[in-house]
Amino acid sequence: MVDDTKVNKASDKGTGIRALKSEKIKGVDVMVNRAIERILAADTPTADNNNAQPNSKISTSGDKETVKSPPRKRATSNNGRVADDSQSKKTASKKNVTKNGAEPDAPQRKKKSHKTKKVVFVPNQDEDQVSSSQVFIANPLAVSQQKYRQVNNTKKPTSRDYKLRVIPLGGLGEVGKNMTVIQYGEEILVVDGGLAFPDDGMYGIDLVIPDYSYLVENRNHVRAFCLTHGHEDHIGALPYVLKDIQAPVYGSTLTLGLLKGKLNENKVKADLREVKAREEVEIGPFKVEFFRLTHSIPDSMGMAIHTPVGTIMVVSDFKMDMSPIDGEFMDFGRISALGEKGVLLLLSDSTNVEKEGFSSSERTVGYSLDRIFYSAKGRIIVTSFASHVHRVQQVLWSAERTERKVAVVGRGMQNMVTIAGSLGYLDIPQDILIDIERINSLPADKVVVITTGSQGEPLSGLTRMASGDHRQVQIMPGDTVVISANPIPGNERTVAKTVDNLFRLGATVIHERNEGIHVSGHASKEELKMLINMVKPRFFLPVHGEYRMLYKHAQLAQQLGMPEENTFVLENGEVLEVSRRRCRINGTVTSGRVLIDGLGVGDVGNTVLKERRQLSESGVIVLSMIYTKQKRPRILAGPEIYSQGFIFEKEYEHIIGEMKEKVVAICTPERLSDGSLHDLRNQVRSVLSRYVVERTGRRPVIMAVICEV
Ligand SMILES: [Zn+2]
Ligand SMILES: [Zn+2]
């Protein structure tokens, strides 16, 4: 998060993040380099390392409001301990050992190794530490490193150049604002850049994005953004991030189509590069191979990031849908093949790790919708997430089958239908869409309305219909409302209130879980196990989930035979350092959240939030007064007291009167002539706040507007 004062000072330079001064960044870089060199110096794979401080902070910012990752509380994983070689060897299954005793390799290694037929490995040597020429002959891995060195021969490489780091900047310990840095040496690849929605305590905040100071500080090394899919929690922060960091963005057609809409709204230009499933792109020292996944939005992809150290596989947001709506199947073949070749680290979706069994196919929702559409006598109003393209598709198909016309309500939903429709990801039957104004001219049983508001969001279509203040749609008896989504934890109350209001207006509401009108887009336990079995990674990093989900996902991997020290439960900002034989948490970088309020990015910090909370709980009291120190020190005007949200002034005039008396009592001629204006303001505020707490038990915000003439 960005400190208020810093932003104020630098307001002429734009956003809080952009306001980080370049001199400061340079200084920070030196600091980081030194810190890393210190760590490297102490970094030999000996037993001593077991006592190393895993969380030695590499703080890259002095920002005091930035949320630093707390010290680790438990030890599921090795928590910074070096997974020693004997343990790692144990984990390498027999299948993973080739005839000549060499371990299977990342694709680059294999590619190179067939040239030098006889490959001699140095088994106990930490390749991160090696740079001698003999190893270039013996170790094909080093050949990749050499190639990388040739490409980037602008400066003499240090051992730091060969470190592979995975740094989650968001998405861990939360569901939302996913963003992960993959860094080899200094070169950075960013996977996703998503947003989160504010929680109840964030008064007036529109959106929350990850604190990407780390990317700003390393902006010259950011090679690309690679996107998994078009959901807000994966692309929503990019309109802000891309203002500060210019790098190409790779993603599928629909993902980039949805992103483009957002970028245009925010007047941000970016270099968008479309990739197809099974396509591979070379980005700096990385080769990124995309493969198809199934999820609640079409064109979702996972990626295998081939690095000189090994392959990192990112499988964020997926389910194994065996009958996907768009007929695009998850690429089990490629995923297994990559697993066979050897995956060093797997990042996998933890959202539904607590759900037993397999998730149902999205197609099952279609059968339930058909049942409802055929039996409903009046209008049907369906709500779901705007981004749930497959769900909207099924509503369109059910409407077509029952000869109903469809009106789309709500900007988010309309945008999605337009973009997905124009890119061919939504099959919109001919003439099925009608303008919302036309619904009253059609018979009730010929109308379907699709709208947002499945989470009870205050300004959404359904919430306004339920409270009777939607301009075009008035709920009436005979209407059937289908809430085709489960409330996200925390939204249950607002959804229940909406449902109550709809019933009050005479509608039939179908919202319960057992009605079959919603299935999750995330894999359940058995699917997660299946993925781990297919990929057989050496190291495992659960992502996309609250802390307990990540923890349980790590446990799940352990149940499948992964050694505990090879699974990692991280907090945002923690640095996972990966090499071929070991993986450990080593330091942290700046992470946290940046709050977006209207046009302000990062200009609302904890202090402002606290004031907003105080205002919302107890209101505000404003005291105004003019006094003079000249000749006869005295109060010239006032004190006047105004309040809002505190008490009903007319009925509590005596309290207001007593407050004035308290102020007059402290404004003795001596005090007025001796003290400064600043002191007087503070004194008045503390006298008033003490009095108000004593009399009312409330703590309103107190403002003293005092002038001296
Ligand atoms: Zn997600
Ligand atoms: Zn998603």
Side-chain angles (χ1 to χ4, degrees):
M1 200 182 308
V2 174
D3 175 56
D4 289 337
T5 50
K6 189 192 290 175
V7 172
N8 289 340
K9 263 188 256 162
S11 56
D12 54 331
K13 293 195 177 186
T15 68
I17 291 239
R18 267 179 283 150
L20 282 167
K21 290 179 183 160
S22 56
E23 314 88 80
K24 189 182 161 203
I25 293 169
K26 265 186 224 159
V28 167
D29 259 350
V30 173
M31 215 172 79
V32 174
N33 279 333
R34 277 192 201 141
I36 291 171
E37 270 156 25
R38 269 205 306 280
I39 290 158
L40 287 176
D43 179 22
T44 42
T46 62
D48 290 345
N49 257 18
N50 292 350
N51 302 325
Q53 276 293 318
N55 281 314
S56 52
K57 302 262 183 210
I58 306 179
S59 174
T60 51
S61 162
D63 187 345
K64 65 182 176 192
E65 278 196 348
T66 289
V67 182
K68 292 275 193 270
S69 304
R72 306 191 56 72
K73 297 160 212 90
R74 46 166 290 277
T76 284
S77 53
N78 69 353
N79 284 352
R81 273 184 292 125
V82 178
D84 84 48
D85 251 344
S86 60
Q87 280 166 323
S88 305
K89 272 185 213 152
K90 243 187 278 165
T91 70
S93 67
K94 280 187 183 168
K95 266 185 246 159
N96 285 353
V97 179
T98 55
K99 273 183 192 167
N100 60 3
E103 290 159 6
D105 208 353
Q108 298 88 334
R109 182 169 173 175
K110 198 166 182 192
K111 232 183 199 171
K112 297 286 175 189
S113 65
H114 66 84
K115 285 181 193 162
T116 23
K117 269 196 175 172
K118 200 170 180 188
V119 181
V120 185
F121 290 98
V122 194
N124 283 323
Q125 198 158 9
D126 179 5
E127 68 275 14
D128 292 350
Q129 310 275 325
V130 238
S131 59
S132 70
S133 57
Q134 95 215 2
V135 184
F136 287 145
I137 304 155
N139 186 351
L141 166 71
V143 177
S144 317
Q145 288 173 347
Q146 192 180 32
K147 185 185 162 201
Y148 167 59
R149 181 186 290 188
Q150 281 160 1
V151 174
N152 298 275
N153 56 0
T154 45
K155 71 175 179 67
K156 199 168 175 283
T158 63
S159 55
R160 187 186 179 215
D161 293 340
Y162 306 128
K163 292 273 182 200
L164 177 63
R165 293 181 172 83
V166 177
I167 312 168
L169 293 181
L172 299 197
E174 60 187 345
V175 174
K177 69 179 177 66
N178 298 284
M179 185 183 241
T180 308
V181 168
I182 313 282
Q183 184 168 15
Y184 181 69
E186 289 185 317
E187 308 291 292
I188 287 176
L189 181 89
V190 187
V191 177
D192 290 339
L195 56 75
F197 292 102
D199 56 40
D200 285 348
M202 297 184 196
Y203 296 93
I205 298 302
D206 303 324
L207 305 168
V208 184
I209 61 170
D211 182 336
Y212 55 98
S213 313
Y214 185 70
L215 296 182
V216 175
E217 286 156 14
N218 294 284
R219 71 172 97 206
N220 295 332
H221 300 290
V222 178
R223 291 284 158 257
F225 291 85
C226 291
L227 307 181
T228 54
H229 63 291
H231 278 159
E232 293 277 9
D233 59 328
H234 296 259
I235 64 166
L238 290 177
Y240 306 95
V241 178
L242 290 172
K243 272 185 195 162
D244 291 327
I245 293 152
Q246 278 77 45
V249 184
Y250 293 87
S252 63
T253 312
L254 181 62
T255 308
L256 294 187
L258 292 167
L259 175 63
K260 209 177 195 172
K262 287 178 196 307
L263 294 179
N264 289 345
E265 266 176 40
N266 288 275
K267 300 191 178 63
V268 179
K269 286 206 165 32
D271 175 8
L272 305 183
R273 301 183 186 179
E274 269 181 36
V275 277
K276 299 252 172 303
R278 291 221 172 184
E279 215 172 282
E280 192 175 271
V281 283
E282 208 164 335
I283 302 166
F286 309 102
K287 265 188 196 157
V288 185
E289 180 185 346
F290 292 85
F291 52 83
R292 174 78 55 218
L293 291 177
T294 41
H295 184 39
S296 49
I297 188 166
D299 233 4
S300 294
M301 299 200 289
M303 52 192 97
I305 303 167
H306 305 298
T307 76
V309 176
T311 300
I312 298 177
M313 190 186 275
V314 181
V315 188
S316 186
D317 287 32
F318 79 106
K319 70 187 274 187
M320 293 184 178
D321 196 332
M322 302 303 168
S323 49
I325 297 301
D326 56 3
E328 294 282 356
F329 294 90
M330 183 164 161
D331 198 344
F332 294 104
R334 191 63 200 137
I335 295 170
S336 311
L338 285 161
E340 279 295 308
K341 276 190 178 174
V343 168
L344 192 59
L345 173 69
L346 170 68
L347 279 66
S348 169
D349 179 359
S350 312
T351 318
N352 277 351
V353 69
E354 292 166 306
K355 281 197 184 153
E356 296 295 332
F358 287 89
S359 64
S360 305
S361 169
E362 174 65 28
R363 207 168 279 271
T364 58
V365 176
Y367 308 136
S368 308
L369 287 176
D370 273 356
R371 199 187 64 236
I372 294 164
F373 276 48
Y374 276 114
S375 58
K377 300 276 182 292
R379 300 186 303 181
I380 297 171
I381 294 148
V382 187
T383 177
S384 186
F385 293 109
S387 59
H388 206 323
V389 180
H390 290 321
R391 193 62 48 83
V392 174
Q393 180 67 75
Q394 304 216 78
V395 173
L396 291 175
W397 283 340
S398 292
E400 187 189 23
R401 282 193 278 271
T402 50
E403 294 172 3
R404 287 171 181 260
K405 299 282 183 197
V406 180
V408 181
V409 175
R411 202 167 61 98
M413 193 63 95
Q414 282 168 339
N415 282 350
M416 192 281 290
V417 169
T418 311
I419 294 170
S422 66
L423 293 173
Y425 289 91
L426 201 57
D427 165 27
I428 304 174
Q430 218 178 356
D431 298 331
I432 199 165
L433 294 181
I434 54 162
D435 197 87
I436 186 70
E437 311 287 349
R438 273 194 60 203
I439 57 168
N440 292 331
S441 61
L442 290 170
D445 63 350
K446 293 285 168 239
V447 172
V448 177
V449 175
I450 308 182
T451 182
T452 50
S454 63
Q455 300 301 314
E457 306 93 315
L459 299 176
S460 62
L462 189 70
T463 313
R464 281 189 285 157
M465 289 173 203
S467 54
D469 53 12
H470 196 279
R471 264 192 311 126
Q472 290 115 338
V473 188
Q474 287 78 39
I475 299 291
M476 50 182 136
D479 285 349
T480 303
V481 179
V482 183
I483 300 181
S484 186
N486 286 343
I488 292 170
N491 292 345
E492 293 91 344
R493 247 185 23 184
T494 45
V495 174
K497 215 171 114 193
T498 306
V499 172
D500 274 352
N501 284 341
L502 290 166
F503 271 115
R504 222 169 251 140
L505 294 169
T508 306
V509 189
I510 301 170
H511 64 106
E512 275 130 330
R513 280 168 198 258
N514 54 8
E515 296 277 2
I517 43 161
H518 179 65
V519 294
S520 172
H522 297 271
S524 298
K525 218 179 211 172
E526 295 304 313
E527 292 154 88
L528 296 174
K529 284 188 199 168
M530 203 162 145
L531 181 77
I532 296 170
N533 285 337
M534 276 199 294
V535 178
K536 295 184 285 294
R538 175 168 296 180
F539 303 111
F540 180 55
L541 174 63
V543 293
H544 205 283
E546 287 163 17
Y547 194 83
R548 68 175 189 288
M549 302 170 185
L550 306 177
Y551 183 101
K552 287 181 182 174
H553 203 179
Q555 275 184 329
L556 194 71
Q558 290 157 24
Q559 284 162 19
L560 301 180
M562 281 195 78
E564 189 182 316
E565 61 276 8
N566 285 12
T567 62
F568 294 85
V569 180
L570 257 63
E571 303 273 4
N572 288 333
E574 280 188 315
V575 178
L576 188 69
E577 209 169 76
V578 193
S579 71
R580 282 183 36 73
R581 281 181 290 277
R582 65 198 183 114
C583 195
R584 62 173 185 163
I585 299 164
N586 190 3
T588 57
V589 304
T590 306
S591 70
R593 53 185 198 189
V594 173
L595 307 180
I596 299 190
D597 180 5
L599 297 176
V601 179
D603 57 357
V604 174
N606 282 345
T607 319
V608 177
L609 276 189
K610 201 176 142 203
E611 283 169 5
R612 287 185 183 181
R613 187 162 52 243
Q614 220 180 342
L615 282 169
S616 79
E617 283 167 3
S618 304
V620 58
I621 294 175
V622 181
L623 170 133
S624 73
M625 183 173 88
I626 300 173
Y627 76 100
T628 180
K629 277 185 180 181
Q630 311 298 324
K631 290 179 196 165
R632 201 159 57 86
R634 65 191 191 283
I635 296 171
L636 293 176
E640 291 298 329
I641 287 179
Y642 313 92
S643 75
Q644 281 214 320
F646 170 54
I647 45 174
F648 189 50
E649 281 180 36
K650 285 214 172 118
E651 282 184 21
Y652 292 90
E653 269 172 4
H654 58 286
I655 291 185
I656 305 287
E658 283 170 31
M659 281 159 72
K660 287 181 187 170
E661 281 167 24
K662 291 270 171 197
V663 176
V664 172
I666 59 167
C667 292
T668 56
E670 298 76 42
R671 190 166 275 161
L672 291 182
S673 63
D674 296 345
S676 70
L677 175 61
H678 179 79
D679 289 345
L680 185 65
R681 272 192 199 131
N682 285 345
Q683 224 165 2
V684 166
R685 270 169 47 190
S686 72
V687 164
L688 285 184
S689 82
R690 218 174 312 134
Y691 170 77
V692 169
V693 171
E694 270 169 28
R695 277 304 299 265
T696 64
R698 301 175 197 178
R699 292 179 189 279
V701 174
I702 296 176
M703 295 170 70
V705 186
I706 302 177
C707 299
E708 184 197 328
V709 289

